[in-house]
């Protein structure tokens, strides 16, 4: 699992994700952003995107952020079906607003277990300023920092 610590600019995580997808890796994006905007901006028309939203009737797959229990099976199913996949989660802060922090950390631990047992990778973008020191450490202890300067061969 790779961690991008940023105070709000999602461009870094998307640029790394899109580069890897365009290199041929299967990708899964879990986002708070409107999927139509992401597809248009980054030209990733075939990449599955799960929209974290309370809005009903969306044309694309969506999950209510309060239904955290639905996300791990989605990620696990994806990584079991692909070789050398890449998963991007850009909305951890939104999940924390709708769930207690410990549940979100447990979700990330469960996801980490699945990622480690596969040949796929996960990129997580967070704003470190929203966590206290202990919770930030709990969240990032199994992750490696990733920056735009990395060669995207993660």
């Amino acid at each position: 699992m790779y961690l991008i610590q940023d105070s709000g600019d999602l461009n870094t995580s998307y640029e790394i994700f899109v580069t890897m997808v365009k290199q041929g890796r299967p990708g899964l994006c879990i986002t708070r952003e409107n999927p139509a905007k992401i597809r248009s901006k980054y030209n990733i028309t075939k990449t599955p995107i799960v929209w974290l939203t309370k809005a009903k009737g969306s044309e694309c797959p969506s999950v209510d952020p309060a239904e955290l229990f639905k996300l791990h099976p989605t990620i696990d199913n994806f990584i079991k079906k692909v070789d050398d996949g890449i998963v991007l989660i850009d909305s951890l802060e939104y999940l924390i607003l709708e769930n207690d922090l410990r549940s979100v950390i447990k979700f990330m631990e469960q996801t980490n277990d699945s990622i480690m047992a596969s040949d796929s990778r996960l990129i997580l973008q967070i704003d470190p300023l929203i966590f206290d020191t202990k919770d930030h450490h709990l969240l990032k202890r199994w992750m490696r920092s990733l920056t735009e300067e990395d060669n995207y061969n993660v």
Side-chain angles (χ1 to χ4, degrees), residues 26-153:
L28 170 66
C29 179
I30 299 173
T31 183
R32 173 74 179 118
E33 302 240 357
N34 184 318
K37 292 179 182 177
I38 292 171
R39 289 187 191 290
S40 174
K41 182 175 181 179
Y42 296 103
N43 194 25
I44 51 172
T45 57
K46 296 184 190 274
T47 301
I49 298 175
V50 176
W51 191 8
L52 295 174
T53 183
K54 291 181 176 282
K56 302 295 180 210
S58 171
E59 293 178 12
C60 69
S62 63
V63 172
D64 185 309
E67 297 178 323
L68 185 62
F69 63 92
K70 291 183 177 180
L71 288 177
H72 180 262
T74 300
I75 294 168
D76 195 52
N77 185 47
F78 172 78
I79 61 175
K80 284 180 178 175
K81 290 182 176 180
V82 302
D83 292 321
D84 199 21
I86 183 76
V87 178
L88 171 64
I89 301 176
D90 77 359
S91 46
L92 197 69
E93 294 87 352
Y94 187 54
L95 291 172
I96 291 168
L97 289 174
E98 297 294 328
N99 302 276
D100 67 276
L101 180 61
R102 297 291 177 190
S103 294
V104 174
I105 291 174
K106 286 178 185 177
F107 156 69
M108 290 308 306
E109 289 285 345
Q110 185 180 28
T111 301
N112 184 44
D113 289 346
S114 295
I115 293 291
M116 286 190 308
S118 75
D119 60 355
S120 293
R121 297 153 194 83
L122 180 131
I123 297 173
L124 177 67
Q125 179 153 351
I126 64 165
D127 182 345
L129 299 178
I130 68 161
F131 300 100
D132 66 29
T133 304
K134 178 182 171 187
D135 292 329
H136 186 233
H137 180 74
L138 278 173
L139 181 65
K140 70 174 189 155
R141 70 176 172 229
W142 304 113
M143 299 180 200
R144 184 176 80 105
S145 290
L146 185 64
T147 65
E148 201 170 3
E149 289 78 36
D150 283 318
N151 62 7
Y152 305 153
N153 290 322

